[in-house]
Amino acid sequence: SYRKGGYHAVRIGDPFAGGRYIAQRKLGWGQFSTVWLAYDTQSSKYVALKIQKSAQQFAQAALHEIEVLSSIADGDPSNSKCVVRLIDHFKHTGPNGQHLCMVLEFLGDSLLRLIRFNRYKGIELNKVREICKCILMGLDYLHRELGIIHTDLKPENILLFSTIDPTKDPIRSGLTPTLERPEGGTLNGGSTMNIIEKKLKRRARRAVANISVRRASMGGGGEAPKSARCLDGIDVRCKVVDFGNACWADKPFAEEIQTRQYRAPEVVLRSGYSCSVDMWSFACTAFELATGDMMFAPKSGQGFSDDEDHLALMMELLGKMPRKIAIGGARSKDYFDRHGDLKRIRRLKFWPLDRLLVEKYKFSESDAREFAEFLCPLLDFSPEKRPTAQQCLQHPWLNLRSSGQNEMQGQSNVDVGMRNLQI
Ligand code: ATP
Ligand code: MG
Ligand code: MG
């Protein structure tokens, strides 16, 4: 993909936007871009630099993402709504063409990594509640105040961040303390500003920070870097990212939206969609956080497609789909007969959510009942019956505290570690 029209190759120390941003190390990548940790010499802060592939269709997608991110930033001057903040954007020309670049606030590891670090055993319910509150605050802002549907909500697109102000407490915030202002003005030759600039850039090249997750019991070994420090007990929050597929609720443009496992039934059936598709994905994400397993992992089989398997899995967990909804979509005839029964998957094995939580995931009866009561309304087959993010924020489950640890959750922990890699 590193060819004309594709990714831009970056080396550590590369300057962007006339030297304002200095590349530090790669944070991640997707189908559209590579994302780099960069040092912003103007604000003396770390930022995430998303460098889009250069071909026309990627540039178009980036312009759309910038438009969405700009309205998100405009409506949230205090940056408190649990959605990633766009700081700047510019064009960068390289050997593979012209790349649109987005400068985003620097966030930590994704919830997917958090799930992996907990060895797919699920995260303690009290932590799940805190994470759910953040996601819901982000969704409430997007849906109610801006009329934006994210359309790709999933653990990978929710990033952790630390709430500690790095200027006040650089070590605990996860940022290296190497960025103190250099003493200037005494050296011969060159302007003071120039010297400070150069020093800052040199330091920035060496100092790299991250907000990372790791298991407490690893004690610095395993996948966690040796220098990682356990920041247990810190209020960890998260933000929604990746607005490349987001759309305005009054003009949805793509028919097929969402990543398969987080896709709502009305999208599978092509019955039209609205903000409530994000609520479905949110419920799938909350389940995955608490159990470590995807709620629905459909596969095609002998004589049936992954779509039909998906519909079967939904009904096995949530009960039969009302006939009117089952036969109401443009694709309904492919999967359902006129009675509202699946054509090729005839025998369903019902396993309701609260029983599944007790029997497979060893939740206590009360934890299972309460969590199922929270999730099930979000998984209503009729989209307009699902609670909105605003209504969901009022749900008592979010303010419960469970004391008893489940067997499956004994190992779970959210740790924010500090990585201080020297390059
Ligand atoms: P996709 O194929 O998922 O659409 P994309 O090219 O649009 O990918 P993103 O999903 O925005 O790219 O980002 C890719 C990865 O970069 C993320 O999964 C994450 O690991 C990392 N990343 C993105 N934004 C940030 C940020 N603000 N802070 C830290 N890391 C980030
Ligand atoms: Mg992504
Ligand atoms: Mg994207």
Side-chain angles (χ1 to χ4, degrees):
S1 300
Y2 285 92
R3 49 181 145 81
K4 282 238 171 339
Y7 295 124
H8 174 65
V10 176
R11 275 181 311 186
I12 291 156
D14 278 359
F16 287 84
R20 175 170 172 183
Y21 306 103
I22 312 290
Q24 307 287 308
R25 73 179 167 81
K26 207 182 203 173
L27 291 170
W29 66 92
Q31 289 176 49
F32 294 79
S33 65
T34 55
V35 179
W36 281 74
L37 177 71
Y39 182 68
D40 180 354
T41 57
Q42 197 168 308
S43 67
S44 305
K45 281 184 177 153
Y46 287 104
V47 292
L49 182 60
K50 178 166 174 167
I51 309 166
Q52 197 84 347
K53 288 180 181 171
S54 60
Q56 168 72 24
Q57 75 267 29
F58 299 115
Q60 196 110 31
L63 285 175
H64 171 75
E65 191 166 356
I66 289 166
E67 189 191 332
V68 171
L69 286 167
S70 301
S71 12
I72 289 169
D74 289 347
D76 177 22
S78 61
N79 193 14
S80 61
K81 309 263 189 180
C82 301
V83 181
V84 68
R85 151 89 26 148
L86 181 71
I87 296 165
D88 188 14
H89 62 93
F90 58 88
K91 284 176 190 153
H92 183 87
T93 306
N96 294 338
Q98 199 178 58
H99 306 262
L100 274 161
C101 300
M102 289 165 248
V103 182
L104 301 158
E105 69 177 307
F106 168 50
L107 301 168
D109 281 333
S110 75
L111 295 187
L112 182 63
R113 273 189 72 118
L114 178 66
I115 291 165
R116 283 192 193 138
F117 271 93
N118 276 314
R119 295 189 181 158
Y120 301 96
K121 284 184 171 150
I123 291 144
E124 193 200 322
L125 276 181
N126 293 330
K127 296 266 165 53
V128 176
R129 292 182 227 279
E130 296 311 311
I131 293 171
C132 283
K133 279 185 206 169
C134 285
I135 304 172
L136 286 169
M137 279 178 359
L139 289 180
D140 179 41
Y141 171 56
L142 293 172
H143 294 169
R144 196 165 48 87
E145 294 190 46
L146 302 175
I148 288 172
I149 316 177
H150 185 282
T151 82
D152 199 17
L153 198 75
K154 55 178 174 177
E156 198 185 317
N157 284 337
I158 300 160
L159 305 187
L160 293 166
F161 77 102
S162 162
T163 51
I164 291 174
D165 181 351
T167 58
K168 298 209 176 90
D169 194 344
I171 296 177
R172 276 164 60 86
S173 77
L175 292 178
T176 57
T178 55
L179 296 166
E180 82 279 7
R181 291 222 74 79
E183 343 62 61
T186 54
L187 294 172
N188 299 323
S191 76
T192 311
M193 266 326 289
N194 237 334
I195 294 164
I196 293 174
E197 278 277 316
K198 277 185 194 152
K199 269 196 174 183
L200 272 175
K201 283 180 189 171
R202 217 169 31 235
R203 281 159 189 261
R205 257 177 235 136
R206 295 200 314 256
V208 175
N210 193 11
I211 302 159
S212 67
V213 291
R214 66 185 187 90
R215 282 163 41 80
S217 57
M218 276 181 185
E223 281 175 273
K226 278 219 170 62
S227 60
R229 276 182 223 182
C230 175
L231 297 181
D232 212 2
I234 281 178
D235 177 14
V236 178
R237 289 165 171 266
C238 58
K239 289 199 173 206
V240 179
V241 303
D242 197 355
F243 286 81
N245 302 302
C247 71
W248 271 271
D250 53 6
K251 40 180 172 191
F253 55 81
E255 279 210 314
E256 185 172 278
I257 54 163
Q258 305 180 302
T259 300
R260 158 63 68 194
Q261 293 85 354
Y262 308 87
R263 189 174 290 156
E266 63 270 28
V267 178
V268 177
L269 294 173
R270 300 284 192 275
S271 318
Y273 61 85
S274 186
C275 293
S276 50
V277 290
D278 285 343
M279 301 312 293
W280 181 281
S281 308
F282 164 73
C284 297
T285 301
F287 176 92
E288 194 170 330
L289 283 171
T291 65
D293 279 346
M294 285 175 178
M295 186 171 234
F296 305 111
K299 285 195 203 87
S300 57
Q302 263 188 343
F304 58 87
S305 64
D306 48 0
D307 274 333
E308 189 158 338
D309 189 45
H310 199 174
L311 295 165
L313 292 171
M314 289 174 186
M315 293 195 280
E316 287 181 327
L317 191 71
L318 306 164
K320 235 192 123 202
M321 199 178 290
R323 179 177 166 273
K324 238 180 144 173
I325 292 171
I327 64 166
R331 288 261 174 96
S332 289
K333 285 205 166 67
D334 297 348
Y335 314 117
F336 288 104
D337 63 21
R338 61 197 174 85
H339 307 291
D341 293 313
L342 285 175
K343 284 181 168 171
R344 282 158 290 252
I345 304 175
R346 305 298 296 187
R347 229 182 306 156
L348 298 178
K349 291 177 224 140
F350 294 101
W351 201 358
L353 183 54
D354 56 341
R355 299 323 305 158
L356 178 81
L357 290 171
V358 171
E359 290 157 22
K360 183 167 176 190
Y361 297 104
K362 309 298 173 209
F363 275 47
S364 72
E365 288 283 345
S366 59
D367 278 351
R369 193 188 56 247
E370 289 156 3
F371 193 38
E373 277 171 6
F374 175 70
L375 291 184
C376 284
L378 293 163
L379 299 163
D380 201 302
F381 286 125
S382 89
E384 58 289 347
K385 286 197 192 141
R386 286 174 213 149
T388 62
Q390 186 183 27
Q391 290 164 338
C392 202
L393 277 165
Q394 303 301 315
H395 198 284
W397 181 80
L398 290 171
N399 294 315
L400 292 174
R401 305 296 300 170
S402 37
S403 50
Q405 284 223 325
N406 294 313
E407 199 185 311
M408 295 292 281
Q409 300 180 329
Q411 307 245 332
S412 71
N413 212 333
V414 180
D415 282 313
V416 175
M418 184 189 80
R419 228 184 269 175
N420 182 5
L421 304 173
Q422 295 287 330
I423 291 171

